[in-house]
Amino acid sequence: QTVVTQEPSFSVSPGGTVTLTCGLSSDSVSTSYYASWYQLTPGQAPRTLIYSTNTRSSGVPDRFSGSILGNKAALTITGAQADDESDYYCVLYMGSGISIFGGGTKLTVL
Amino acid sequence: QLQLQESGPGLVKPSETLSLTCTVSGGSISSSSYYWGWIRQPPGKGLEWIGNIYYSGSTYYNPSLKSRVTISVDTSKNQFSLRLSSVTAADTAVYYCARRLGLPGGFDYWGQGTLVTVSS
């Protein structure tokens, strides 16, 4: 069974830069997996940050960027702010209409 | 501005069928550019993709839920719906509906989510 892997937790200092990754248990992630990234804050609807690997969703500041780093999809946050403290999820398109979410990364800003 | 709103019972008994509807406003569900999807998040756990539907009725389901899931669309009402049969406590979750940018694309608009609890 294919598993999408994310770091369970990460911490970053205010103003710092952090890169979260999204990998596959059985393959390297490429642009063919159309990685997308979402920010979840308790009590709020999920916020779409990035889709199709590196396209920023409307209204998302350019502090957020997506890429392929090595064999994983990556979400980089520069100039981290207190309200970036959230859970971040990636999802990969596996083909044949199937998508799989990663387990999520809890980002702490301190 | 596109808006999606989930509706349905907040409490379902074990072994019964969970039914939710997503009403789309500010845009047409019949647009050829988009798919429409359901995602859930059990308490304390991560997001899980449930399935997608196109306005024509084509569906794609999570293999782990496929035997119990039905997603349908009603273009006349600008709505799509989720039915999940034979529910157990493990199906307790916040259920979200969302618009998808084509089949491989990401979800760009989300509903606020609705908590469904499975309990007798």
Side-chain angles (χ1 to χ4, degrees), chain A residues 34 38 46 48 89 97-99 101, chain B residues 46 49 61 96 100 104 106-107 110:
Chain A
Y34 295 87
Y38 307 90
T48 302
Y89 289 86
I98 306 299
S99 296
F101 277 93
Chain B
W49 172 73
Y61 298 135
Y96 297 98
R100 188 156 192 174
F107 299 98
W110 295 71

Side-chain angles (χ1 to χ4, degrees), chain B residues 1 6 10 15 43 73 85 107 113:
Chain B
Q1 175 80 349
E6 306 89 350
S15 79
V73 64
S85 63
F107 299 98

Side-chain angles (χ1 to χ4, degrees), chain B residues 28-85:
Chain B
S28 174
I29 204 170
S30 299
S31 170
S32 60
S33 300
Y34 306 110
Y35 282 72
W36 306 89
W38 288 97
I39 302 98
R40 70 179 182 179
Q41 184 178 31
K45 296 188 177 182
L47 294 171
E48 180 179 33
W49 172 73
I50 299 172
N52 296 332
I53 192 165
Y54 194 52
Y55 77 95
S56 64
S58 297
T59 53
Y60 304 88
Y61 298 135
N62 186 324
S64 69
L65 298 171
K66 189 173 184 177
S67 63
R68 299 193 292 130
V69 172
T70 302
I71 298 176
S72 59
V73 64
D74 186 336
T75 55
S76 67
K77 295 182 178 178
N78 230 31
Q79 295 176 335
F80 62 107
S81 298
L82 169 71
R83 288 174 58 85
L84 181 65
S85 63

Side-chain angles (χ1 to χ4, degrees), chain B residues 7-28:
Chain B
S7 59
L11 181 64
V12 181
K13 289 182 168 56
S15 79
E16 295 189 346
T17 296
L18 177 160
S19 295
L20 295 174
T21 295
C22 181
T23 300
V24 179
S25 58
S28 174

